[in-house]
Amino acid sequence: IAEVELELLRTNARSHKIISQAVSFLLPQLLQLMAQGTNADDGDDNTWDISMAAASCLQVIAELLGDGVLEAVKTFVALNLQHEDWRRREAACHAMGAVVDGPTLENARGLVVSCTSFL
């Protein structure tokens, strides 16, 4: 749905804005799925899994909604960037990377600066 709405936005076509109506439910779910981690233990880094799918979805939603995703992602990153579980640290890094193309440059920079204080 997000990909369709993004295409409608790019072509100036009318959209029902379903994602913006559901974002308060979707973002926590996607971030939690990302935190479940990958199947990296199987030795194949290219295996598509639920964590990768969630990150991909987050990226499209960030492109669609821009600054509307930053607060949830910023909170998630702050809570998980130094977590003892490597899967949560990895998810925090992926979440930051997934949203950098959507928000305004100034707000994306603010996310990166606020999160790099943990590093």
Side-chain angles (χ1 to χ4, degrees), residues 23-24 27-28 31 58 62 65-80 95-96 99 103 107-108 110-112 114-115:
V23 72
S24 62
L27 285 181
L31 294 168
L58 177 61
L65 300 180
D67 294 341
V69 301
L70 284 179
E71 273 309 307
V73 171
K74 186 176 178 180
T75 301
F76 178 79
V77 170
L79 291 172
N80 291 289
M96 276 182 46
V99 301
N107 289 334
L111 170 69
V112 173
S114 68
C115 293

Side-chain angles (χ1 to χ4, degrees), residues 31-79:
L31 294 168
Q32 185 59 38
L33 289 170
M34 289 174 67
Q36 288 179 4
T38 64
N39 295 329
D41 297 336
D42 65 8
D44 184 5
D45 290 339
N46 296 318
T47 302
W48 187 257
D49 60 18
I50 194 74
S51 178
M52 291 174 149
S56 179
C57 188
L58 177 61
Q59 182 175 4
V60 176
I61 290 173
E63 286 182 56
L64 178 66
L65 300 180
D67 294 341
V69 301
L70 284 179
E71 273 309 307
V73 171
K74 186 176 178 180
T75 301
F76 178 79
V77 170
L79 291 172

Side-chain angles (χ1 to χ4, degrees), residues 5 15-26 64-65:
E5 288 191 356
S15 168
H16 293 288
K17 300 186 179 188
I18 294 168
I19 296 298
S20 64
Q21 294 176 39
V23 72
S24 62
F25 171 76
L26 284 173
L64 178 66
L65 300 180

Side-chain angles (χ1 to χ4, degrees), residues 92-115:
C93 291
H94 282 259
M96 276 182 46
V99 301
V100 295
D101 287 336
T104 60
L105 182 59
E106 181 178 317
N107 289 334
R109 184 179 298 131
L111 170 69
V112 173
V113 169
S114 68
C115 293

